[in-house]
Amino acid sequence: EPEVTQTPSHQVTQMGQEVILRCVPISNHLYFYWYRQILGQKVEFLVSFYNNEISEKSEIFDDQFSVERPDGSNFTLKIRSTKLEDSAMYFCASSGKGGRYEQYFGPGTRLTVT
Amino acid sequence: GEDVEQSLFLSVREGDSSVINCTYTDSSSTYLYWYKQEPGAGLQLLTYIFSNMDMKQDQRLTVLLNKKDKHLSLRIADTQTGDSAIYFCAEISLPGNTPLVFGKGTRLSVIA
């Protein structure tokens, strides 16, 4: 069964450093998303991406964040200068045109900023 | 803005039924979802219901939707220890590139 994959599973970085979180969505999906979950809190939407551009973003997704689909398979989230409060689990999700109401999530990347 | 609320904890005995409840505020919600998160794992889509339905059954899972009260529930029949997880309720207004809005999750503990 196709699934969303994410790498790395855990990333530790120092404050101020840049990080890139990687995702491989399900191959025939067209809509891509990043969410995050700070420990003990709700899963929060960051950004959605369709047709090679951002279609919606939340207040959390400020200028420090960017997304890219560099090739036909990867979808990345970059945080330019990490802050302590960026420590969270970051989930990638994707959905397809035919089943666009079904968002499938990857296993997440735990980002720890020290 | 939209909000989704759930109780935080539920404890049941193995073999009993579990009922996890959720309320939402967005009257334009079109799809309502249940996701399961096991320890250290991602979010697994369990089931969802379209807002013009009031019930959906899928093996041991039954979803009930009361649109008037904006109340969604997930019933798990014959709960097993493997059902221990956090269950998230989520809603979406328009399918496609509209984000899911999640509740805080209900931690289900199954006692053997």
Side-chain angles (χ1 to χ4, degrees):
Chain A
E1 187 177 318
E3 58 183 18
V4 177
T5 59
Q6 290 185 243
T7 53
S9 56
H10 191 190
Q11 173 91 47
V12 181
T13 189
Q14 288 191 325
M15 200 166 51
Q17 295 295 304
E18 175 184 286
V19 293
I20 297 176
L21 310 183
R22 290 183 166 80
C23 168
V24 178
I26 294 173
S27 63
N28 60 350
H29 281 186
L30 301 175
Y31 302 91
F32 313 112
Y33 315 81
W34 284 101
Y35 291 81
R36 79 172 185 190
Q37 185 183 29
I38 294 172
L39 191 64
Q41 297 190 24
K42 290 187 180 186
V43 176
E44 303 171 289
F45 167 74
L46 293 177
V47 65
S48 60
F49 193 85
Y50 171 71
N51 201 25
N52 284 319
E53 60 183 24
I54 290 173
S55 45
E56 195 165 346
K57 61 183 180 178
S58 71
E59 290 174 355
I60 304 165
F61 194 87
D62 60 22
D63 292 343
Q64 292 299 312
F65 291 88
S66 62
V67 288
E68 198 176 31
R69 188 153 161 82
D71 53 42
S73 59
N74 289 283
F75 180 52
T76 63
L77 174 70
K78 183 193 289 185
I79 309 174
R80 285 190 188 82
S81 177
T82 50
K83 302 189 274 280
L84 293 175
E85 54 264 37
D86 293 327
S87 295
M89 181 74 92
Y90 288 79
F91 292 107
C92 174
S94 68
S95 61
K97 186 178 180 183
R100 61 189 186 276
Y101 40 81
E102 299 174 9
Q103 289 186 27
Y104 291 92
F105 283 72
T109 293
R110 181 167 296 286
L111 177 64
T112 303
V113 182
T114 61
Chain B
E2 306 107 341
D3 197 16
V4 177
E5 295 292 335
Q6 302 177 239
S7 53
L8 294 182
F9 300 99
L10 177 67
S11 183
V12 298
R13 292 200 177 278
E14 193 175 17
D16 287 351
S17 291
S18 310
V19 180
I20 303 170
N21 294 300
C22 167
T23 56
Y24 59 97
T25 59
D26 187 3
S27 56
S28 65
S29 295
T30 51
Y31 287 90
L32 295 126
Y33 300 80
W34 287 103
Y35 281 85
K36 177 183 180 184
Q37 186 181 35
E38 296 182 68
L43 298 164
Q44 176 194 354
L45 176 60
L46 278 181
T47 186
Y48 59 91
I49 189 167
F50 187 48
S51 58
N52 68 352
M53 299 167 66
D54 52 21
M55 187 181 97
K56 181 178 180 181
Q57 188 153 3
D58 184 1
Q59 298 182 336
R60 291 191 298 123
L61 305 179
T62 304
V63 179
L64 295 177
L65 174 60
N66 181 328
K67 204 174 174 187
K68 176 176 162 289
D69 294 340
K70 299 194 187 73
H71 182 265
L72 182 75
S73 68
L74 174 70
R75 179 176 177 270
I76 305 172
D78 186 26
T79 313
Q80 304 297 307
T81 53
D83 295 323
S84 293
I86 300 176
Y87 290 80
F88 291 93
C89 173
E91 63 92 17
I92 205 165
S93 296
L94 289 171
N97 56 4
T98 300
L100 289 163
V101 176
F102 283 88
K104 270 195 170 181
T106 299
R107 183 178 294 276
L108 173 66
S109 298
V110 182
I111 306 162

